Every structure is written in C-alpha cells, then in structure tokens.
C-alpha cells in the first residue's frame, strides 16, 4: 500500500487541497482482489482479440519480430482535464490536514475516466511522433518510413509492436488445472461427447455456483487461443445461474481434455498466401430448452485462423435453411469488420 502511494507521489497524481464549496468528493478504498462481474468472471478492459490475432497473422506473413511492453501503473500516466476530488486513502490520512481532500492531476484506478485518460495520453504522444491511427480499430497505430512499416497494438497496459525493420522496433522499445485440483485426473480425447444431452436438469443435484462460474470464467479466457473448446464452453456457460452436478461433470471433462492436449494452439506459419477465407455453419434447434439453433463461424488469412465464433441464435428458426442463413448473416458481419 505504501509502495502504491509512493508511486502516486512520484508521478504527481494528486495534490492535497481544501474541498471547494458545493463539491462532493469521490470516496477511496483499497482493493486487494480482481473485480468480477455477476458471473464471477474477471472484468478487464481489452481490445478486440480479433485485432490482436490479425496483428500476429500479419507479422508471420511479412516475417517481422514481435515485441511486448507492459506499462507499470499505467492509469497513473493519464492526464485529467476536468476537476476531480477524492477523499484521503483509509489508514493513510494526513494527521495535520485531516479534513482536506486530494485533487487529481492524473487518472486513478477505479475511475471511469481512467482508461480513457490513459489512452488519450498515449495516442496523443504516438500521433505527434508520426503514427497514424487505425480508422476501424482505434487501438492500432501505424507508422511508415520509406518501404518499412511499424505496427503498434495497444490493449490497456500491454503493448505489442513489430516492424519490417528491426531498427524501428529498437527505437520504439496454464495453468488452471492446479487451481481446481485436477492435476491427478484422467484425460479425455474430446472436450464433449457427440450426443452430450446437456439440459437445465432442474431435478439434478445443486453444485457450488461460485466454483462453477469461476471454472467457466477460466475456460472463457482460454477460448481466446483454443477454438477447439469454444462450443462446449459456450454451451456450459448457459447453466451458470443454476448449475447442477451434470453440468459440473461436463465442465470437468473440458479440463481433463485440456490436460491431455496441452500443446494444441494456433500456428501462424510464414507462407505466401494471405487470401481471406470465411466459413459459417449452424445446427438446427440444438438447444433442448428453447429449441434455438447455434451459429458457428471462422475466418482465415491464408492458413492462419484469426477469428472464430459460437453463439446461440436470438430467434427460433423454423427450418434448417433459416438457421443457416442467420449464421451466414452473422458471419458476413465479421467479414465486413475484418475487411475494414
């Protein structure tokens, strides 16, 4: 806690002042755990993962090296333009100025303005140094010099960048098994049986909701690089409100499958083809509860898989043809985004 406050002082985050009349200060508190949503999935601000995979696919195509930077205390670098006052941190009040508050000069964790302030500070610096911002993905920055190109992709406090000229880069400068005590479990060759029969199972035995949601959250994180579990994870996530023992068995099978296939992942080879290909598919009435169909899709640049989807359709299709058209329409939306 003291180290955190020392960082505030070093970066001139705030000044201790008298509270102006008619102003309500924002309360402060210490947070010692990750913030989660109502499904107990960790909340993170992030760029679209497709954008990052497109970046990596292009890097493999043109053959440049990719670097990564992590900015420590990232939000403390964001400059504020409005007046914001916060109370003194609990346990660290100034005994000689107990009634004073801090006026913020830089962004602070927990404020809605913090990510925006950091992004504005960083983007202003990049734009003033010869970078252009992506017209569709505003977290992508491009700099061209002669026949070379430097790409910078920003996602909160992490930055990945690469260039066709390594000199430009120099200038710019799983384990979930142990968490759920499944190290000694047997493995499976597939993440789910073909005829799985998963349904709400209202008469089944209840299981720990928090544990089930935590396991689902971990698996949802893994779907960013493991398309092979995308369908079954999305299927099991439908039962988070009232998970039963049958659902827990299905989730544990996914972990056992992952244990047996630890080296499966994405491979972005360096080959000449960079042609765009997209595929869509759909089942028909696959959900046992409401008879809604599930759309699936994937998109490739050459042989590089850069994006994939699996989502239950919002309406009930009356034929396999209608279900396929809905999946195709969803796939077209993704295609247009990637083309842009």
């Amino acid at each position: 806690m003291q180290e955190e406050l020392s960082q505030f002082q070093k970066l001139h985050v705030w000044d201790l002042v008298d509270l102006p009349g008619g102003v309500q200060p924002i309360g402060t508190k210490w947070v010692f755990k990750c913030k989660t949503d109502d499904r107990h999935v960790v909340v993170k601000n992030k760029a679209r993962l497709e954008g990052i995979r497109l970046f990596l696919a292009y890097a493999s195509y043109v053959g440049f090296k990719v670097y990564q930077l992590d900015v420590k205390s990232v939000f403390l670098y964001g400059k504020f333009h409005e007046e914001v006052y916060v109370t003194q941190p609990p346990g660290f009040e100034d005994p000689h100025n107990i009634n004073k508050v801090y006026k913020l000069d830089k962004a602070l964790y927990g404020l809605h303005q913090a990510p925006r302030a950091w992004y504005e500070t960083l983007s202003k610096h990049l734009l003033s140094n010869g970078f252009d911002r992506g017209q569709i993905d505003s977290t992508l920055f491009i700099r061209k010099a002669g026949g070379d190109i430097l790409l910078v992709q920003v996602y909160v406090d992490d930055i990945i960048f690469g260039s066709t000229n390594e000199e430009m880069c120099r200038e710019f400068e799983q384990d979930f098994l142990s968490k759920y005590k499944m190290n000694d479990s047997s493995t499976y060759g597939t993440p789910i049986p073909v005829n799985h029969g998963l349904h709400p199972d209202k008469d089944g035995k209840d299981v720990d909701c928090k544990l089930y949601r935590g396991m689902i959250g971990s698996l949802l994180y893994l779907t960013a690089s493991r398309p092979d579990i995308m369908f079954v994870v999305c299927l099991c996530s439908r039962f988070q409100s009232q998970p039963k023992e049958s659902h827990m068995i299905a989730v544990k099978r996914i972990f056992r499958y992952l244990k047996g296939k630890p080296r499966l992942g994405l491979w972005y080879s360096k080959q000449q083809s960079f042609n765009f290909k997209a595929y869509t598919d759909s089942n028909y009435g696959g959900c046992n509860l409401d008879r809604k169909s599930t759309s699936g899709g994937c998109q490739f640049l050459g042989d590089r898989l850069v994006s994939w989807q699996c989502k239950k359709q919002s309406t009930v299709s009356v034929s396999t043809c209608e279900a396929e058209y809905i999946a195709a329409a969803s796939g077209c939306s993704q295609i247009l985004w990637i083309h842009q």
Side-chain angles (χ1 to χ4, degrees):
M1 294 159 71
Q2 186 61 60
E3 182 183 357
E4 187 79 1
L5 290 177
S6 297
Q7 191 78 0
F8 288 7
Q9 186 176 6
K10 176 183 175 182
L11 297 175
H12 306 290
V13 171
W14 53 24
D15 298 303
L16 195 62
V17 300
D18 292 317
L19 181 65
V23 175
Q24 182 67 31
I26 298 173
T28 56
K29 65 178 180 179
W30 294 101
V31 179
F32 301 103
K33 62 181 180 180
C34 292
K35 186 184 294 185
T36 58
D37 62 13
D38 55 359
R39 298 179 302 162
H40 295 275
V41 176
V42 175
V43 176
K44 288 190 68 177
N45 293 306
K46 58 186 177 182
R48 289 190 66 170
L49 287 168
E50 290 94 330
I52 296 170
R53 288 193 291 263
L54 285 166
F55 178 102
L56 296 174
Y58 183 72
S60 72
Y61 173 64
V62 298
F64 60 62
K65 189 181 293 186
V66 176
Y67 298 84
Q68 181 175 16
L69 290 175
D70 181 77
V71 184
K72 187 176 181 181
S73 304
V74 59
F75 288 164
L76 305 185
Y77 291 92
K79 188 78 173 176
F80 263 167
H81 300 293
E82 60 262 47
E83 287 192 359
V84 178
Y85 298 88
V86 299
T87 59
Q88 298 185 49
F92 291 85
E93 296 89 349
D94 187 335
H96 304 294
N97 298 283
I98 198 70
N99 294 320
K100 290 194 174 185
V101 295
Y102 280 112
K103 179 183 178 182
L104 293 184
D105 186 51
K106 301 284 184 65
L108 196 65
Y109 301 100
L111 296 177
H112 295 299
Q113 302 99 317
R116 185 187 66 205
W118 153 245
Y119 173 75
E120 287 179 354
T121 300
L122 176 64
S123 60
K124 184 178 179 180
H125 173 74
L126 292 176
L127 293 173
S128 65
N129 282 275
F131 283 86
D132 294 317
R133 183 167 24 208
Q135 295 182 0
I136 301 300
D137 186 351
S138 59
T139 63
L140 177 68
F141 295 86
I142 306 162
R143 181 182 178 186
K144 296 179 180 179
D148 292 312
I149 182 173
L150 172 65
L151 299 179
V152 177
Q153 181 83 57
V154 180
Y155 46 111
V156 194
D157 58 345
D158 285 300
I159 301 171
I160 56 173
F161 61 99
S163 174
T164 50
N165 184 339
E166 202 164 332
E167 184 63 31
M168 293 179 73
C169 286
R170 281 195 288 268
E171 290 175 359
F172 186 77
E173 265 322 79
Q174 120 190 80
D175 192 7
F176 301 108
L177 292 175
S178 59
K179 180 178 179 181
Y180 298 110
K181 301 177 181 178
M182 298 186 66
N183 283 320
D184 299 325
S185 62
S186 58
T187 62
Y188 277 101
T190 59
I192 186 175
V194 175
N195 300 311
H196 55 80
L198 274 182
H199 58 86
D201 194 10
K202 295 183 179 180
D203 298 326
K205 182 180 177 181
D206 291 332
V207 296
D208 185 346
C209 289
K210 187 174 182 180
L211 174 64
Y212 185 85
R213 292 168 183 168
M215 297 174 79
I216 290 293
S218 299
L219 291 170
L220 285 171
Y221 178 81
L222 277 181
T223 59
S225 59
R226 293 292 297 261
D228 51 329
I229 63 171
M230 186 75 179
F231 170 75
V232 62
V233 172
C234 290
L235 177 64
C236 291
S237 67
R238 299 174 187 173
F239 309 110
Q240 293 185 79
S241 59
Q242 291 182 311
K244 303 295 183 178
E245 192 172 38
S246 59
H247 307 140
M248 181 64 79
I249 291 172
V251 169
K252 287 185 175 180
R253 177 181 174 125
I254 306 173
F255 279 92
R256 290 174 176 172
Y257 165 75
L258 291 169
K259 181 184 177 183
K261 306 286 185 180
R263 296 188 177 276
L264 282 182
L266 300 179
W267 175 250
Y268 290 168
S269 62
K270 184 180 181 182
Q271 38 92 351
Q272 295 303 312
S273 174
F274 207 59
N275 295 330
F276 182 75
K277 295 177 289 185
Y279 302 88
T280 63
D281 196 8
S282 172
N283 65 10
Y284 173 60
C287 181
N288 295 321
L289 181 62
D290 52 23
R291 302 305 300 167
K292 290 181 179 178
S293 307
T294 298
S295 299
C298 57
Q299 294 80 37
F300 292 82
L301 287 172
D303 292 334
R304 308 168 189 86
L305 178 62
V306 295
S307 180
W308 55 90
Q309 307 80 38
C310 180
K311 186 178 181 181
K312 187 165 71 169
Q313 296 177 1
S314 58
T315 59
V316 178
S317 300
V318 296
S319 66
T320 56
C321 182
E322 183 181 358
E324 294 285 0
Y325 269 116
I326 293 174
S330 176
C332 285
S333 298
Q334 190 69 12
I335 290 169
L336 290 173
W337 184 86
I338 292 176
H339 269 292
Q340 289 175 318

